[in-house]
Amino acid sequence: YIKHCNINAAVGLTALFLLYVIRWVCGYAARRWPSREKLFFFLSTLRTAFVILLYTLISYLVNRHHHDKPKFSILGVVPRGFQHMQVPVVNSNILSEVAGKIPSAIIVLVIEHISISKSFGRVNNYTINPNQELIAIGITNIFGPFFGAYPATGSFSRTAIKSKAGVRTPLAGVITAAIVVIAIYALPPVFYYISNALLAAVIIHAVGDLISTPTAIKKFWKVSPFEFFIFWAGVIVSVFSSIDNGIYTSVAASAALLLFRIAKAQGKFVGTIRVYDRPTLRRASQQDKPGNSRSVFVPLDLSDGTNPSVKPQLPADGIFIYRFNEGYLYPNAVHFTEHMVAGIFKRTRPGIVNPYGSLGNRPWNDPGPRHKSESDIDMSLPILRAVILDFTGVSNVDITSIQNLVDVRRQLDRYANDTVSWHFAGVKSPWTRRALIAGGFGSSDSVTRTVFSVANVGVTNDKDFASATHNDAGFASAYHSQEEFAVDSRSQEKGKPEIMANSLDTAVIPILSVNHPYFHVDLDEALKATELELGLKKPFE
């Protein structure tokens, strides 16, 4: 179509070229002279206004004597002031026209405004209140129709300019509004000569910055391949259908991906690795002293990226440690427990050969054989004795998930033909702990806490001692007297704690309530407590 081009194409292309040249020159100058970066930023920001003024002047000089037949297309007469200031008319016809656009418009308004707010909040070290921002958007779009305005939200460009200019209060918005009002009342005659091709160049230049670069798209693929395909689905639908459908496609696909990740979350059986701290990775010599050691719990399948040459140590026979990687909720409760139970059944044997007694009690879906004997079971496998659940990654639970855990406990008790101990490590939320207690977890009639994770607390007098130990009956019950509670700090340094009756300089208190011995601070404590409870380890071994 080049042969059909006219002077409008020349105006638009040269304006677009000039916009990009000014931006490139200012960017290069800012890198060349960093001390004047702010100056070049404002010059780059004002490039649109400069180009509009320049081409408007050219248009005026060319078309001032050709109002009826201008040399190239111009904007023409622009109404002065607010032409439609009135109470907006809302009827069924208008609602039917805009109903299909409202959801997509709201999504764009909210996402853009909140993203701008959070982005500049991080840059300028302040925290936004999303509710306050949504209220501001709502009020703006409630009163906007009285002045003939279209739906409005935050602006990336205007926010960036104000941030660079050092704006600190919303008063800047009042000044901007005043300038806009003056412009629409005083400058319409100037707008008459603005070229339409120039406006097209300005719009193309502005929209061009919104197109994702190949580098950004490649980063999408590296960060999340699933979201990479969602991105392209939204782009393709927007191009071949409509922007509204593109937004709906992206939102629906993102929601489906989120639900899938939650519903199909899978926990991991973990084992222990004894690790040591060393200053270098060179080969150890006899003179090197071993550093501090600690137990690290990693998945048995090393799916977290642990060095495959490292082999995690399994817990003692009959003990299983299972880690939840997501919130334990209704969508994924069964998926979690089915995976856990299947893994336990694979590594253990039933506590009784024939749990059904007579053949008539055997369920119809039992895979058989009909008459079970010890020859049908691998007797070298251990019997299930304890389950340790790592709840570090669990932020919430619900009624269904707790009931599912109760059902699994009953199932495993029948399978082991004994009461299986259930220990929980890393329960962070008090509501999660409360829900587990309501489900019958966390304590036992015959078991008391065998391992205490304690913290040193400075105590200077009896009043401080009472405050430190008796705020909660569950915490105070670990100690029977002040003499038993107090520990001399000097004896601790020697590695031999001694009960001191007269020293109240330093005391220790339990981190968790002693009334629920099956809740533990971490997996290390949970494993030690389980081994002590089952008699697999001597106290403080």
Side-chain angles (χ1 to χ4, degrees):
Y1 296 95
I2 294 179
K3 63 181 180 179
H4 300 292
C5 293
N6 54 29
I7 193 172
N8 288 290
V11 172
L13 290 175
T14 54
L16 184 62
F17 175 77
L18 185 58
L19 286 169
Y20 279 107
V21 168
I22 294 175
R23 186 175 73 170
W24 182 85
V25 170
C26 291
Y28 174 79
R31 294 189 298 271
R32 180 68 176 78
W33 296 283
S35 60
R36 299 182 179 180
E37 181 182 1
K38 193 171 185 179
L39 171 63
F40 291 114
F41 169 80
F42 283 113
L43 291 177
S44 177
T45 301
L46 294 172
R47 66 184 181 275
T48 302
F50 169 75
V51 172
I52 290 176
L53 291 176
L54 175 62
Y55 277 78
T56 301
L57 175 61
I58 295 173
S59 176
Y60 169 74
L61 296 175
V62 172
N63 296 312
R64 59 180 175 172
H65 300 304
H66 304 280
H67 286 194
D68 295 334
K69 293 183 178 181
K71 297 297 183 179
F72 48 81
S73 178
I74 58 177
L75 196 59
V77 177
V78 177
R80 185 188 300 271
F82 296 103
Q83 297 293 315
H84 303 283
M85 186 184 294
Q86 61 182 358
V87 177
V89 177
V90 180
N91 52 45
S92 58
N93 293 331
I94 293 178
L95 292 177
S96 62
E97 289 291 332
V98 303
K101 309 291 183 181
I102 289 177
S104 59
I106 293 176
I107 292 173
V108 172
L109 291 177
V110 172
I111 291 178
E112 183 175 357
H113 190 94
I114 298 300
S115 62
I116 294 171
S117 303
K118 290 186 175 181
S119 175
F120 283 91
R122 288 189 293 268
V123 171
N124 296 291
N125 195 28
Y126 63 83
T127 303
I128 70 162
N129 183 351
N131 292 333
Q132 180 178 337
E133 302 298 326
L134 293 177
I135 291 173
I137 296 177
I139 293 177
T140 300
N141 289 296
I142 286 175
F143 288 98
F146 289 88
F147 298 88
Y150 56 80
T153 185
S155 168
F156 278 105
S157 58
R158 191 167 68 246
T159 305
I161 293 172
K162 290 182 177 180
S163 176
K164 285 285 187 179
V167 170
R168 292 294 180 268
T169 69
L171 182 62
V174 177
I175 298 174
T176 302
I179 294 175
V180 171
V181 171
I182 293 173
I184 63 178
Y185 275 98
L187 299 180
V190 179
F191 298 157
Y192 180 90
Y193 291 100
I194 294 178
S195 168
N196 287 324
L198 169 64
L199 293 179
V202 171
I203 293 173
I204 292 172
H205 180 68
V207 174
D209 294 336
L210 301 179
I211 300 175
S212 298
T213 62
T215 302
I217 296 176
K218 184 179 180 181
K219 188 175 181 180
F220 293 164
W221 170 258
K222 290 183 177 180
V223 173
S224 177
F226 292 106
E227 294 179 64
F228 172 82
F229 289 111
I230 292 176
F231 165 79
W232 278 113
V235 170
I236 293 172
V237 174
S238 297
V239 170
F240 292 99
S241 179
S242 66
I243 295 178
D244 297 344
N245 292 335
I247 293 174
Y248 296 148
T249 300
S250 300
V251 172
S254 299
L257 177 61
L258 177 63
L259 291 176
F260 177 81
R261 285 174 172 172
I262 294 175
K264 294 300 181 181
Q266 192 174 76
K268 298 291 182 181
F269 287 97
V270 300
T272 59
I273 297 176
R274 199 68 182 173
V275 298
Y276 301 87
D277 297 331
R278 294 192 57 193
T280 64
L281 291 178
R282 62 180 177 83
R283 184 182 296 275
S285 61
Q286 295 181 353
Q287 290 76 20
D288 291 337
K289 296 181 179 180
N292 296 328
S293 65
R294 63 187 185 277
S295 294
V296 176
F297 294 82
V298 299
L300 296 177
D301 58 2
L302 303 178
S303 57
D304 62 344
T306 303
N307 191 329
S309 300
V310 177
K311 302 302 181 183
Q313 181 181 357
L314 293 171
D317 289 345
I319 300 177
F320 292 87
I321 306 176
Y322 191 77
R323 174 176 292 162
F324 289 84
N325 298 323
E326 289 280 351
Y328 183 51
L329 300 168
Y330 162 72
N332 58 24
V334 174
H335 192 70
F336 267 129
T337 53
E338 283 184 350
H339 178 259
M340 180 181 69
V341 170
I344 292 175
F345 283 178
K346 183 179 179 180
R347 297 177 177 89
T348 59
R349 60 182 173 86
I352 184 172
V353 176
N354 186 6
Y356 310 121
S358 64
L359 188 61
N361 293 329
R362 174 175 168 264
W364 67 272
N365 58 348
D366 184 84
R370 297 181 64 192
H371 301 282
K372 293 184 178 180
S373 62
E374 293 186 358
S375 60
D376 301 318
I377 301 174
D378 186 356
M379 299 303 292
S380 63
L381 295 175
I383 297 176
L384 175 63
R385 304 181 67 184
V387 175
I388 302 174
L389 298 183
D390 183 2
F391 263 46
T392 306
V394 176
S395 57
N396 294 290
V397 296
D398 56 24
I399 295 175
T400 304
S401 62
I402 294 297
Q403 183 58 48
N404 178 259
L405 206 59
V406 172
D407 295 339
V408 171
R409 178 177 59 182
R410 294 171 181 167
Q411 177 187 8
L412 294 182
D413 285 348
R414 291 193 300 268
Y415 172 75
N417 197 34
D418 196 0
T419 301
V420 178
S421 298
W422 287 74
H423 294 256
F424 297 84
V427 179
K428 304 300 182 184
S429 170
W431 290 101
T432 301
R433 188 179 295 108
R434 171 179 170 172
L436 290 170
I437 294 172
F441 296 97
S443 61
S444 173
D445 296 335
S446 59
V447 177
T448 58
R449 187 176 289 276
T450 53
V451 176
F452 295 95
S453 290
V454 298
N456 289 337
V457 178
V459 179
T460 58
N461 52 46
D462 292 344
K463 182 179 179 180
D464 290 342
F465 176 84
S467 175
T469 58
H470 291 86
N471 287 332
D472 188 303
F475 291 89
S477 61
Y479 304 95
H480 304 292
S481 64
Q482 293 186 9
E483 291 78 5
E484 183 182 359
F485 190 83
V487 180
D488 182 32
S489 59
R490 292 172 299 177
S491 63
Q492 281 184 316
E493 295 175 358
K494 299 176 183 178
K496 296 179 179 180
E498 297 178 0
I499 297 175
M500 300 294 294
N502 298 322
S503 175
L504 287 176
D505 294 333
T506 304
V508 291
I509 61 173
I511 295 177
L512 297 180
S513 172
V514 298
N515 291 336
H516 300 96
Y518 288 153
F519 291 144
H520 305 279
V521 173
D522 55 21
L523 285 176
D524 197 27
E525 179 195 316
L527 182 57
K528 290 178 181 177
T530 304
E531 291 174 341
L532 288 170
E533 178 190 356
L534 300 178
L536 302 176
K537 180 182 287 189
K538 296 180 181 180
F540 305 104
E541 182 180 343

